[in-house]
C-alpha cells in the first residue's frame, strides 16, 4: 500500500521498519491460514531460526551470494528476506470454471505445477496430481505449459541451488529487473546494496527477453497454458451475462466490464457508476498493507445507462433541501438507520443521531424499516438525485443555463487543411443537437463564437442584427470580453445570423498569412465571457499549432527525445509553464470546462496544452496531420458526440465513507483545491474519477464499509442537482476473503492511473519497477496467506487476479511507460491524459486490445465473433482480423486469405491489390462485407471516441504499427512478452517469499 | 489717414491685426511705463474674398537666421535686381524668375496694398483631410439617436475625398474597420488600460513586419493609404457602409446598476484615436471629433468614479484640493494634446450633458490643438445640431472654413522682441534673436503650431520693445513685424499667408500725445483680458483681479488728467474712455469669476475667449444690450439695470447666450393676447422684431449661443440680471431716482462705485 502514498516511487520494499519486525516475529507463521509449505523452507534455510536469517535480496549482486545463506544472513538480516519463506516458485492458476462463477475459492493450486525459470534442463513441470479437488483438473489441460514433461524434481522445484546455476551464466539477471536491487537499497536498514545501485550498468531497462535462458524457456511454455484473458472474459460472459445483476446484497462482485448485463438497483449503486478493486476489504490497515491490494473505487457519476435501465430518480425535498446528517453532512440513503419509532435516524457514516424533520416523519414497520421505504428512492435505491436548493448554488443564486463557446483557430494552418471550412459547415447543423434536458423541446444552452490567430475575434450574433459583427481584441496580454449582449445567444433565435457567420468565417480568413497563434488568452477569453454572462459552460477549442505568438502562455518547442530514459524524462510530461494551472484554476472557479481539439502537424506540446482541459474536466482530441479527406469522419464524429453529450457543469464531488476508511487520493480530470472536494468545471458521462481509500481505523465485519459519492452539478438546462451514489462493501478479517472479491480490471485501472501520474514526478523506469514490485507483493501475499500448500516451483495466482500479470505487462509496455521509437512526445502526453479519466471498460480494452477473427465464424452468425488473444501466434494468414483498443481500429488481412473474401470485402481481385492503409471499406452488397462493416460500426458505437480504421496487410510496412498492439508478444520497444513477464513475476514472487 | 479709428479698422480688415498701440514707444523703459504691453490680436486666416492667393512661392531672405519673406517694406534695387531685407538688412538677389522686375512691373508682394499676401505651394503630396469620429455610446436612447443622425448628416457635408474613421466607446473602446464587406469588424480595447502609440498600432495591425530601412523608405508614401485603409476610408467609398454602421450603433450594452454612472472610457478612446492617427497620418490635416455625453468614469483620464453618490468635482472641491482625479486626468489629456499637436492633428470636443463632462480636464485637448469645444445639454438640441453643422460651413469659394497643421512664425525688426502668444496654439520652441526672455503667454519661441484654425481664430501676440533709451530711433523710423502662417488649406493645398506690418516709433517723452491717440482701447482690453485669463488658469482668482486692478490704476495714473488727490478732477481722453468700463465688466465676467459656474463652464468660456476675434471677445467681456420700444427703432442701451424698463423689450447678446427679455408691461400685454388682435398689429411687430434680430445672430455665430426667451419676473431673467451693471440695488434704490430701471438684488459693486474708487486710487499719490 505504500505505493499509493504520496511518494509513489518509494518501493514497497522500502516500507518503514515497523512492518518488518512483524514479519520477523513470524506472525504469519503463527497464523492458522499460513500456507507456507514446510519443505522448501526447510530445504532452503533450515528450520525456523533460519527464517530470520534468510538470504538477502541482493541476489542480483552476485548469484553465488544468493545461494550462500550464511554470508547473506550476515549482510542483511532484516526485512526483505522474510518473504523468503514463501519463496516457492510454482505457477498456480485458478480453479475450474464452476468454481470461478461462484468465486468462492480464493485460489487453489493448479494441477500441473510449473516451475518456469527454475533450471535449464527441466524448465517446466507439468502439473502432477492435482493437489485439490477434481474440479480443478478440468482446467488443468488448458493450463499445462508443456504437456509431457516429467514432474519436477523436488530439488529443482524448490531449491535455490537449482536456481543458482540457472542464473550462473546470467550474473546480471537481477539488473534487467532491478526492482529488487533498487528497492533493496532504498530502505534504511543496512544493506550492502547502495553502491551497486549507483552503478549505471545495474539499472538498465528491463530487457528480459534478451536474455538467452529466458528465451529458451519462453519457447517451452505453452502460451495456452497460462491464464488467458479471452477465456476469462468468455467465461464471465457466459456465466453472468444472462441474469440481471441485482445490487441488493452487500459486497457482491459485479460481472466483468466486458460482459453485457442488466443492473437492478436495489440499494447499491450500479457497477456502471462505481466499481471497486475489492468488494471485501480488510478490517485493519495492517492486513491491507500486507496485501498491498489498493483499495480504490472507480466512479463514473454521470455514466450513461443502457436504455433498459432507468436513469436515477430525481427527488425533491422542497425548500428545506435534501435531508442530511447534521454532523458529517452525508445525504439520506438506504443505509441510514431509523430509530425511536422513526423520529430519529442514525447516520450510517458517522453514527450521529439526527432528528427526522416533521415533514419527513414516517412510521417504522416491525423490521424497523420505514413504511414508505419503497416509495422513496433515497431510502431504497443506490443511485438517485436530489433537486438542490439555492443554498447549493454559487453566490446563492440559481444558475443561468450554461453556454457553449466555439473557439476556432483561423491561422494559416487551419485554413490550409480545410479544417475551418469543414468545421463551420458542420456547426451549422450540429447546433440543432445541443444537449437538452429530458424531454425539453429545445436546448437551453446558449452559444457563442470566437475565432483567433494571434488576436481574437469575437462575434456579435444577436438575433436583431442583419449581419454578424466581428470584434477584434488584440490585447492578448490582458484578455477581456468585448461584448456582453449578443455574444451568447439562443441558437434558434439567432439562427440566420449564426448561419451567415459560419458561412463567412472561411471566406474572411481564406487569404490569411498569419501562422502564429495564441492559446492561453483564448481560454481566458472564453472564461471571461462566461464570467460576464454569469453562467457555467464549455469551450470547444479547435487549435492547430504550438502557441508561439507573444502572449501569456506562450510556449517554445522543447521536444527532446534525448530525454527519454533519463531522469529528466518526466519534464516531457510536465507543463512548460505554470500559467496554465493558474488559468485552469480560474476556469474551475467559473465552471468553465474546456474541450480541446488539436490538429497538429508537428510538436504542439500536448503536455502543456492539455493542462486546462485536464483540470477542468474537459477532453482532448488529437488529429495529427489532419487532412479533410482522411480524418473528416473521425473528427466530425468525435465533434458531434462531444457537442451532443450530456454534461454536468460546475460540479463538486465529495466521497464520504463510513468510519474506518477514508478517501485519500483521487485520479482523473478535475481540480482539487482542498483534500476532499473534487471540483469539476464540467463532467460528462465518459469521465471517471478513481478514488483511493485508506484505513484510518478498524472496520467492522458486521457493518461493512459504506461509500457515498455525492455530486453537486448544474444540469444542461441550468438546474442545480445532487446525484448520490451509495455502495456498501463487506469487510473481512481473512485476506482470502479479500482476494476472492477483487476485480483485476479495476485494479489495473487504478494502477495505470497511478503510474501515469507518477511519471510526472519520477523516472519512468522507477514507476515501472514500482508497479512490478507491487504486483509481486500482492501475489506473494496471496501465496503466503491464502493459497494452499504446494511446491515452491508453482506460481499460484488468486482466481480473481490471474490476469493481473498479463494486464500489468500491458500497462508496463504502454507508450507512456515504455515508448517505442515512433511514439512522439505528444502522443505520450496525449495518451497519458486520456487514461487519467478512463473508466474500467476503457482501460481494459485499451491495455489489452480485442482481436476479432472475421472469417472464422459462419457468416450468418449475428453475434460478435469470439476474440482471440492478442498475439501474432494467434493470427492465421488465411484470415482477416479486426483489432481495436478504444482508440485505434485495424483490419488485418492475412497474406493467403481466400480470394473470395478479398473480393467481397475490398472489391479487388487479389491480396496484392488491396490498398494498404485504406481507411474505409467499400460498401459492397454481400453478406461478408455487410457483416464486417456492421461489426465495425457496432465497435465504434461502443467507444466514446471514433476509431479510425486502418487496413493492414500481412507483411506490409504498416504491420509494424499493428503488431504494436499484439500485447502478448514482446514489443519492439523492449516490452516483455506475456510468458516472459509471467516468469519474471514468478521469480519476483519467489524472491519475496524466500 | 483720417482718424486712428479708420486706420485701425482698415488694418484689421486688410491684415487681421489689431495692435494695442499703433504708435510705438521707442524705448524699453517707456514701453514698460505704458502699462498695456505692445501687443496685437492676429487673425491669421481672416477671410479676404478680395485676396486671391498667388500661385508661386515666397521669396525668402537668404540669411539663414532671418528668412523673412519679401514684402512691400523692403527696399528694392530694380537695376541690380537686389532687395534688402527690412528685418536684417541683408541684401538679396532676386531669383531668376524675377528677372523682368522693374518699377512698373512689380510682383504683388512688393505692392503696398499686399501687406497681406497668400502663396499657394504646389510642392509635396497632398493628403486628404481626415475626420475621425470618436463617439460615446453611453448615452440615453434619444440622445444617441440624435447624435447618430447628426453624424450621418455630417457625412454628406464632408469633402468627398476626405478620409473618415469611427471609434466608439463606452466601457470598451471599439475601432471600427470600415473597409469590410458583410461582417462589420471592429477592434476592441479595454477601457481601463492606457496603451502606448506603439501598442495601439501593433494591436490594430498597423505595423508592417520589419523591413530593411532602405527598402521601407521609398514605398512609404504609397503604403500609407493601404496600411490605414481599414480604419480610415474615403467617404465616397464607404458612405453607405458607414451610414449603416452608424445606424446600427447601439447603446453601450454593459449593464449600469442603479446608483452608478455608466463606465465611460473617454481617456482611452482619445488615446487610441490619437495613436491611430499618429501612426498612420502624422503631419496631415486631421480632426479627431470627440462626442461625449458624460464624464470619463474609468481608466486613464477618468474624472469621476462611477458611484453616483459622489458628485463630480466643483470649484469648491478644487479649492479644497478635494478633486481626486483631476490632476491625473489633466495630465493624461495634456499628454494626449501635446502628442496630437506634435502630429499636427486637432481634437474637437462636443460635450452634451446636463451635468459636467470633464471639460476642465479635457480642455487642453481643444485648447492646444486648435480644436472646437462645444458644450450643450443634449445632442438632441438644435444648439448642438446646428453648431455641429456649422463646423462644415463653407466660405465664398466653397471651401471649408477650416485649416490644419498651421505654423505661425513671427519676425520682428531688431528694436522688438517676441514675448509670447495666447491662443489655440502650442510653442514650437524655436529660439531666435527676436525671442524675448520675458514671457507673456506661451513664450520663448518665435513659432507656434496651430493644428486647427478657422477664419476667426485669433491669437494674442505680445511684444517687448528692447530698444534702449540711450539709442534713440531716428525720426520717422518704423518698426516692422512679419507674420508667416503656413497651413494646410481645406482644399488640401499647402498655403503660406504673409502679413507684414509697420508702425511708427515715437519718443514717449516728447510725443506721448501721439502714442496716446494711437491707443486702441478695444484691442488693449481684449489683450489684457487674455493675459488675465491666461493667468487665471494657473493662479488664484483674487490675485488675477488684483493684478488687473493695479494695471488699470497705473494706466489711469499714466494717461489720466487729474490733480493730485482730487478724484473729481480725473479725466480720461477719448481713446481711453471705455477702457475702465471694459475692465469693470471683465472683472465680473465668467472668465475670471468662477462663482456660479462649474469648472466645466469656466473652461468652456475661457476656451472660446482665447480664440475668438476682437469683436466677439468684446461681446464676451461686455455683452451688448439692445432695447426695443414703440418709441423708435431698436437702440443699443447701456448694460445697466437702468435699462430694464417695463415698456421695453431687451435683447442681450453675451456671445454664449442670446436673451430676449420682455419688460413687465410688455409681458402683461402679451399675456393678455394683444398681439393676436388685428388692431394691435404693431405690438405683434414689436414682439417679433427682437426675435428676428436674435435669429440673425444665431445664424451667424459659432458655437450657436443658448437662446433664452424670458420676461420680467421669469426665472430665466437671471441671465440678464447677472450681466447688467447693478446701478440700482436694494441698497441704493432710493438714492438713484425712482423713474427708471429695475433693482438688482446683489452686493456686487456697480460701475459707478467702481469708477469712484478708481478715480480715488488713480489720483492718490500713495500707489
Amino acid at each position: 500500500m505504500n505505493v499509493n502514498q504520496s511518494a509513489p516511487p518509494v518501493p514497497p520494499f522500502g516500507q518503514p521498519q515497523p512492518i518488518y519486525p512483524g514479519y520477523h516475529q513470524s506472525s504469519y507463521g503463527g497464523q492458522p491460514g499460513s500456507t507456507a509449505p514446510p519443505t522448501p523452507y526447510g530445504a532452503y534455510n533450515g528450520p525456523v531460526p533460519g527464517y530470520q536469517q534468510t538470504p538477502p535480496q541482493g541476489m542480483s549482486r552476485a548469484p553465488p551470494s544468493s545461494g550462500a545463506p550464511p554470508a547473506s544472513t550476515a549482510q542483511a538480516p532484516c526485512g526483505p528476506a522474510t518473504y523468503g519463506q514463501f519463496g516457492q516458485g510454482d505457477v498456480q492458476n485458478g480453479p475450474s470454471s464452476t468454481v470461478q462463477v461462484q468465486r468462492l475459492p480464493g485460489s487453489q493450486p493448479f494441477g500441473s505445477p510449473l516451475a518456469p525459470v527454475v533450471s535449464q534442463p527441466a524448465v517446466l513441470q507439468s502439473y502432477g496430481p492435482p493437489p485439490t479437488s477434481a474440479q480443478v483438473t478440468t482446467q488443468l489441460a488448458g493450463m499445462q505449459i508443456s504437456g509431457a514433461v516429467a514432474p519436477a524434481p523436488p530439488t529443482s522445484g524448490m531449491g535455490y541451488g537449482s536456481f543458482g546455476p540457472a542464473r550462473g551464466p546470467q550474473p546480471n539477471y537481477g539488473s534487467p529487473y532491478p526492482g529488487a536491487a533498487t528497492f533493496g537499497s532504498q530502505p534504511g536498514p543496512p544493506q550492502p546494496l547502495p553502491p551497486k545501485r549507483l552503478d549505471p550498468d545495474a539499472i538498465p531497462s528491463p530487457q528480459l527477453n534478451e536474455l538467452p535462458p529466458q528465451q529458451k524457456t519462453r519457447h517451452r511454455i505453452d502460451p495456452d497454458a497460462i491464464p488467458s484473458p479471452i477465456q476469462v472474459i468468455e467465461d464471465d460472459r457466459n456465466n453472468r451475462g444472462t441474469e440481471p445483476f441485482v445490487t441488493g446484497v452487500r459486497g457482491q462482485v459485479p460481472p466483468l466490464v466486458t460482459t453485457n448485463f442488466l443492473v437492478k438497483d436495489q440499494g447499491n449503486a450500479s457497477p456502471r457508476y462505481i466499481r471497486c478493486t475489492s468488494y471485501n476489504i480488510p478490517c485493519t490497515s495492517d492486513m491491507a498493507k500486507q496485501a498491498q491490494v489498493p483499495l480504490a473505487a472507480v466512479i463514473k457519476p454521470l455514466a450513461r445507462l443502457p436504455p433498459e435501465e432507468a436513469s436515477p430518480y430525481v427527488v425533491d425535498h422542497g425548500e428545506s433541501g435534501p435531508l442530511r446528517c447534521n454532523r458529517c453532512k452525508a445525504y439520506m440513503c438506504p443505509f441510514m438507520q431509523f430509530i425511536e419509532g422513526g423520529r430519529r435516524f442514525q447516520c450510517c457514516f458517522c453514527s450521529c443521531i439526527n432528528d427526522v424533520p416533521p415533514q419527513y416523519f414516517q412510521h417504522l414497520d416491525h423490521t424497523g424499516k420505514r413504511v414508505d421505504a419503497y416509495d422513496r428512492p433515497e431510502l431504497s435505491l443506490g443511485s438517485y438525485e436530489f433537486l438542490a436548493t439555492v443554498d447549493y448554488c454559487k453566490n446563492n443564486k440559481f444558475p443561468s443555463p450554461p453556454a457553449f463557446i466555439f473557439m476556432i483557430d483561423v491561422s494559416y494552418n487551419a485554413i490550409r487543411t480545410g479544417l475551418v471550412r469543414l468545421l463551420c459547415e458542420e456547426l451549422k447543423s450540429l447546433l440543432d443537437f445541443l444537449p437538452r434536458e429530458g424531454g425539453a423541446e429545445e436546448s437551453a444552452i446558449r452559444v457563442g463564437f470566437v475565432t483567433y490567430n494571434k488576436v481574437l475575434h469575437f462575434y456579435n450574433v444577436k438575433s436583431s442584427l442583419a449581419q454578424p459583427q466581428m470584434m477584434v481584441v488584440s490585447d492578448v496580454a490582458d484578455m477581456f470580453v468585448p461584448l456582453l449582449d449578443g455574444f451568447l445567444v439562443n441558437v434558434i433565435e439567432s439562427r440566420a445570423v449564426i448561419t451567415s457567420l459560419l458561412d463567412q468565417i472561411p471566406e474572411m480568413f481564406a487569404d490569411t498569412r498569419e501562422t502564429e497563434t495564441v492559446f492561453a488568452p483564448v481560454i481566458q477569453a472564453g472564461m471571461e465571457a462566461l464570467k460576464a454572462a454569469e453562467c457555467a459552460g464549455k469551450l470547444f477549442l479547435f487549435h492547430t499549432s504550438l502557441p508561439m505568438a507573444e502572449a501569456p502562455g506562450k510556449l517554445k518547442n522543447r521536444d527532446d527525445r534525448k530525454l527519454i530514459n533519463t531522469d529528466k524524462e518526466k519534464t516531457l510530461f510536465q507543463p512548460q509553464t505554470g500559467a496554465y494551472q493558474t488559468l485552469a484554476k480560474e476556469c474551475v472557479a467559473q465552471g468553465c470546462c474546456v474541450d480541446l481539439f488539436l490538429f497538429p502537424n508537428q510538436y504542439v506540446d500536448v503536455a502543456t496544452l492539455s493542462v486546462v482541459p485536464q483540470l477542468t474536466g474537459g477532453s482532448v482530441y488529437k488529429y495529427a496531420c489532419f487532412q479533410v479527406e482522411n480524418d473528416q469522419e473521425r473528427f466530425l464524429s468525435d465533434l458531434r458526440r462531444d457537442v451532443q453529450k450530456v454534461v454536468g457543469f460546475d460540479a463538486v464531488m465529495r466521497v464520504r465513507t463510513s468510519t474506518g476508511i477514508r478517501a485519500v487520493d483521487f485520479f482523473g480530470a478535475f481540480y482539487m483545491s482542498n483534500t476532499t472536494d473534487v471540483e469539476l468545471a464540467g463532467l460528462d458521462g465518459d469521465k471517471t474519477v478513481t478514488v483511493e481509500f485508506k484505513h484510518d481505523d478498524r472496520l467492522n465485519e458486521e457493518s461493512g464499509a459504506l461509500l457515498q459519492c455525492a455530486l453537486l452539478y448544474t444540469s444542461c438546462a441550468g438546474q442545480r442537482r445532487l446525484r448520490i451514489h451509495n455502495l456498501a462493501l463487506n469487510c473481512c478479517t481473512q485476506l482470502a476473503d479479500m482476494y476472492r472479491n477483487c476485480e483485476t480490471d479495476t485494479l489495473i485501472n487504478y494502477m495505470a492511473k497511478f503510474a501515469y501520474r507518477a511519471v510526472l514526478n519520477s523516472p519512468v523506469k522507477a514507476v515501472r519497477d514500482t508497479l512490478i514490485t507491487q504486483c509481486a507483493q500482492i501475489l506473494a501475499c496471496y501465496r503466503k496467506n491464502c493459497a494452499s500448500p504446494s511446491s515452491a516451483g508453482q506460481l499460484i495466482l488468486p482466481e480473481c487476479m490471474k490476469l493481473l500479470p498479463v494486464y500489468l505487462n500491458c500497462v508496463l509496455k504502454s507508450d507512456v511507460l515504455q515508448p517505442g521509437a515512433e511514439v512522439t512526445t505528444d502522443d505520450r502526453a496525449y495518451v497519458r491524459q486520456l487514461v487519467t479519466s478512463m473508466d474500467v471498460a476503457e482501460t481494459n480494452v485499451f491495455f489489452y486490445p480485442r482481436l476479432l477473427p472475421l472469417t472464422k465464424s459462419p457468416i450468418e452468425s449475428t453475434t460478435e465473433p469470439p476474440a482471440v488473444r492478442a498475439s501474432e501466434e494467434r493470427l492465421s494468414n488465411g484470415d482477416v482480423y479486426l483489432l481495436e483498443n478504444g482508440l485505434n481500429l485495424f483490419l488485418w488481412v492475412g497474406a493467403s486469405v481466400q480470394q473470395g473474401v478479398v473480393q467481397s470485402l475490398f472489391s479487388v481481385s487479389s491480396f496484392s491489390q488491396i490498398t494498404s492503409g485504406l481507411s474505409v471499406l467499400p460498401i459492397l452488397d454481400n453478406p461478408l462485407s455487410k457483416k464486417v462493416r456492421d461489426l465495425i460500426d457496432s465497435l465504434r458505437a461502443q467507444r466514446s471516441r471514433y476509431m479510425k480504421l486502418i487496413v493492414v496487410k500481412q507483411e506490409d510496412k504498416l504491420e509494424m504499427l499493428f503488431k504494436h498492439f499484439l500485447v502478448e508478444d514482446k514489443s519492439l520497444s523492449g516490452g516483455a512478452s506475456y510468458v516472459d513477464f509471467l516468469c519474471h513475476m514468478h521469480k519476483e514472487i519467489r524472491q519475496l517469499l524466500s | 489717414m483720417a482718424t486712428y479709428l479708420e486706420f485701425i479698422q482698415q488694418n484689421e480688415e486688410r491684415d487681421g491685426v489689431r495692435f494695442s498701440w499703433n504708435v510705438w514707444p521707442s524705448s524699453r523703459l517707456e514701453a514698460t511705463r505704458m502699462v498695456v504691453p505692445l501687443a496685437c490680436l492676429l487673425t491669421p486666416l481672416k477671410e479676404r474674398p478680395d485676396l486671391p492667393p498667388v500661385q508661386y512661392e515666397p521669396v525668402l531672405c537668404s540669411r539663414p537666421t532671418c528668412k523673412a519673406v519679401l514684402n512691400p517694406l523692403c527696399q528694392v534695387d530694380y537695376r541690380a535686381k537686389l532687395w534688402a531685407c527690412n528685418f536684417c538688412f541683408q541684401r538679396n538677389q532676386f531669383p531668376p524668375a524675377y528677372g523682368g522686375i522693374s518699377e512698373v512691373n512689380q510682383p504683388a508682394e512688393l505692392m503696398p496694398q499686399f501687406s497681406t499676401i497668400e502663396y499657394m505651394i504646389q510642392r509635396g503630396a497632398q493628403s486628404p483631410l481626415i475626420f475621425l469620429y470618436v463617439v460615446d455610446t453611453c448615452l440615453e436612447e434619444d440622445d444617441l439617436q440624435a447624435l447618430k443622425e447628426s453624424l450621418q448628416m455630417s457625412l454628406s457635408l464632408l469633402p468627398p475625398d476626405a478620409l473618415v474613421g469611427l471609434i466608439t466607446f463606452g466601457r470598451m473602446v471599439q475601432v471600427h474597420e470600415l473597409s469590410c464587406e458583410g461582417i462589420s469588424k471592429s477592434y476592441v480595447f479595454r477601457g481601463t488600460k492606457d496603451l502606448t502609440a506603439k501598442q495601439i498600432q501593433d494591436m490594430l495591425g498597423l505595423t508592417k513586419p520589419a523591413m530593411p530601412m532602405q527598402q521601407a523608405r521609398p514605398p512609404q508614401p504609397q503604403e500609407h493609404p493601404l496600411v490605414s485603409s481599414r480604419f480610415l476610408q474615403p467617404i465616397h467609398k464607404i458612405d453607405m457602409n458607414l451610414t449603416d454602421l452608424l445606424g446600427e450603433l447601439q447603446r453601450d450594452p454593459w449593464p449600469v446598476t442603479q446608483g452608478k454612472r455608466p463606465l465611460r472610457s473617454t481617456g482611452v478612446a482619445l488615446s487610441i484615436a490619437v495613436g491611430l492617427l499618429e501612426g498612420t497620418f502624422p503631419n496631415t490635416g486631421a480632426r479627431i471629433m470627440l462626442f461625449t455625453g458624460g464624464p470619463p468614469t474609468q481608466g486613464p483620464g477618468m474624472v469621476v468614479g462611477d458611484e453616483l453618490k459622489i458628485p463630480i468635482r466643483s470649484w469648491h472641491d478644487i479649492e479644497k484640493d478635494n478633486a481626486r482625479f483631476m490632476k491625473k486626468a489633466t495630465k493624461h489629456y495634456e499628454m494626449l494634446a501635446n502628442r496630437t499637436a506634435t502630429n499636427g492633428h486637432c481634437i474637437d470636443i462636443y460635450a452634451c450633458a446636463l451635468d459636467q463632462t470633464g471639460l476642465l480636464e479635457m480642455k487642453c485637448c481643444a485648447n492646444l490643438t486648435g480644436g472646437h469645444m462645444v458644450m450643450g445639454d443634449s445632442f438632441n438640441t438644435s444648439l448642438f445640431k446646428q453648431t455641429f453643422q456649422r463646423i462644415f460651413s463653407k466660405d465664398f469659394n466653397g471651401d471649408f472654413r477650416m485649416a490644419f497643421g498651421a505654423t505661425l512664425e513671427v519676425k520682428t525688426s531688431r528694436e522688438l522682441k517676441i514675448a509670447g502668444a495666447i491662443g489655440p496654439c502650442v510653442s514650437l520652441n524655436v529660439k531666435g534673436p527676436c525671442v524675448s526672455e520675458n514671457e507673456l503667454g506661451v513664450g520663448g519661441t518665435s513659432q507656434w503650431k496651430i493644428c486647427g484654425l478657422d477664419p476667426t481664430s485669433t491669437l494674442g501676440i505680445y511684444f517687448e520693445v528692447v530698444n534702449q533709451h540711450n539709442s534713440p530711433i531716428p525720426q520717422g523710423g518704423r518698426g516692422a513685424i512679419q507674420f508667416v502662417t503656413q497651413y494646410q488649406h481645406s482644399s488640401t493645398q499647402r498655403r503660406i499667408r504673409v502679413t507684414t506690418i509697420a508702425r511708427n516709433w515715437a519718443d514717449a517723452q516728447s510725443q506721448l500725445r501721439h502714442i496716446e491717440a494711437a491707443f486702441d482701447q478695444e484691442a488693449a482690453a481684449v489683450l489684457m483680458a487674455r493675459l488675465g485669463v491666461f493667468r487665471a488658469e494657473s493662479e488664484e482668482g483674487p490675485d488675477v483681479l488684483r493684478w488687473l486692478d493695479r494695471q488699470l490704476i497705473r494706466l489711469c495714473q499714466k494717461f489720466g488728467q487729474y490733480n493730485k488727490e482730487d478724484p473729481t478732477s480725473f479725466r480720461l481722453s477719448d481713446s481711453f474712455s471705455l477702457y475702465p468700463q471694459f475692465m469693470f465688466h471683465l472683472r465680473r465676467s465668467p472668465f475670471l469669476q468662477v462663482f456660479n459656474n462649474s469648472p466645466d463652464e469656466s473652461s468652456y468660456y475661457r476656451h472660446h475667449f482665447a480664440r475668438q476675434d476682437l469683436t466677439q471677445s468684446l461681446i464676451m467681456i461686455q455683452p451688448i444690450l439692445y432695447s426695443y420700444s414703440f418709441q423708435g427703432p431698436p437702440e443699443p442701451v447701456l448694460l445697466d439695470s437702468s435699462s430694464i424698463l417695463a415698456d421695453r423689450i431687451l435683447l442681450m447678446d453675451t456671445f454664449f447666450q442670446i436673451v430676449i427679455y420682455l419688460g413687465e408691461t410688455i409681458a402683461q400685454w402679451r399675456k393678455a393676447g394683444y398681439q393676436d388682435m388685428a388692431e394691435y398689429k404693431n405690438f405683434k411687430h414689436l414682439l417679433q422684431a427682437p426675435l428676428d434680430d436674435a435669429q440673425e445672430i444665431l445664424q451667424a455665430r459659432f458655437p450657436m449661443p443658448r437662446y433664452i426667451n424670458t420676461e420680467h419676473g421669469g426665472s430665466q431673467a437671471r441671465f440678464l440680471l447677472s450681466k447688467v451693471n447693478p446701478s440700482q440695488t436694494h441698497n441704493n434704490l432710493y438714492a438713484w431716482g425712482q423713474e427708471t430701471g429695475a433693482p438688482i438684488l446683489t452686493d456686487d459693486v456697480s460701475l459707478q462705485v467702481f469708477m469712484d474708487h478708481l478715480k480715488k486710487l488713480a489720483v492718490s499719490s500713495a500707489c
Side-chain angles (χ1 to χ4, degrees), chain B residues 118-131 158-163 281 283-286 398-405 486-496:
Chain B
E118 188 153 314
Y119 301 88
M120 213 145 76
I121 308 288
Q122 311 291 345
R123 278 177 293 130
Q126 294 186 358
S127 49
L129 299 185
I130 298 163
F131 295 87
L158 293 176
D161 58 347
L163 302 183
F281 289 96
N283 296 315
T284 42
D399 290 326
F400 290 96
R401 285 196 169 94
M402 53 177 92
F404 295 94
Q486 306 195 33
Y487 66 99
Q488 183 184 352
H489 191 252
S490 62
S491 63
T492 75
Q493 295 154 338
R494 296 288 318 169
R495 292 193 182 185
I496 300 175

Side-chain angles (χ1 to χ4, degrees), chain B residues 618-688:
Chain B
L618 272 185
I619 296 175
M620 291 187 219
I621 294 174
Q622 181 175 343
I624 299 170
L625 194 62
Y626 289 99
S627 170
Y628 296 77
S629 71
F630 289 118
Q631 272 80 31
E635 50 176 2
V637 291
L638 284 178
L639 183 64
D640 193 296
S641 56
S642 61
S643 305
I644 304 173
L645 296 172
D647 58 347
R648 304 288 163 94
I649 303 175
L650 295 177
L651 171 66
M652 181 177 73
D653 177 8
T654 72
F655 184 82
F656 297 105
Q657 294 121 6
I658 304 284
V659 183
I660 293 174
Y661 172 90
L662 308 183
E664 195 172 1
T665 320
I666 304 270
Q668 282 164 355
W669 286 342
R670 191 179 63 163
K671 212 172 187 180
Y674 284 103
Q675 70 274 21
D676 301 329
M677 301 178 195
E679 59 269 44
Y680 294 104
K681 215 172 175 184
N682 60 340
F683 178 58
K684 191 181 176 185
H685 288 152
L686 182 68
L687 281 179
Q688 191 57 42

Side-chain angles (χ1 to χ4, degrees), chain B residues 234-302:
Chain B
I235 181 72
H236 59 88
K237 270 200 198 160
I238 47 116
D239 194 0
M240 292 303 292
N241 208 336
L242 184 55
T243 308
D244 292 348
L245 190 60
L246 284 170
E248 280 193 8
L249 214 55
Q250 297 294 316
R251 289 180 64 194
D252 194 50
W254 300 87
V256 180
T257 46
Q258 199 158 18
K260 299 264 186 184
R261 295 188 176 91
L263 288 174
R264 194 179 271 111
S265 330
T266 322
V268 172
L270 261 188
S271 168
I272 288 169
V274 171
L276 171 63
L277 290 179
E278 187 169 72
T280 50
F281 289 96
N283 296 315
T284 42
R287 278 204 113 79
I288 295 168
M289 307 172 98
L290 170 69
F291 303 87
T292 182
T297 45
Q298 69 166 2
M302 91 185 251

Side-chain angles (χ1 to χ4, degrees), chain A residues 918-945:
Chain A
L918 198 71
S919 61
V920 187
L921 288 183
I923 299 169
L924 302 173
D925 189 17
N926 63 62
L928 181 64
S929 170
K930 200 163 162 353
K931 183 181 160 191
V932 171
R933 283 184 288 110
D934 286 350
L935 180 61
I936 290 173
D937 288 345
S938 94
L939 289 180
R940 281 174 177 162
Q942 288 170 27
R943 305 296 169 209
S944 59
R945 287 169 188 239

Side-chain angles (χ1 to χ4, degrees), chain A residues 675-696:
Chain A
T675 54
T676 54
D677 293 342
V678 176
E679 295 174 39
L680 300 123
L683 175 66
D684 60 50
D686 299 325
K687 295 281 181 306
T688 312
V689 178
T690 296
V691 185
E692 195 197 344
F693 301 96
K694 282 245 164 79
H695 286 79
D696 57 3

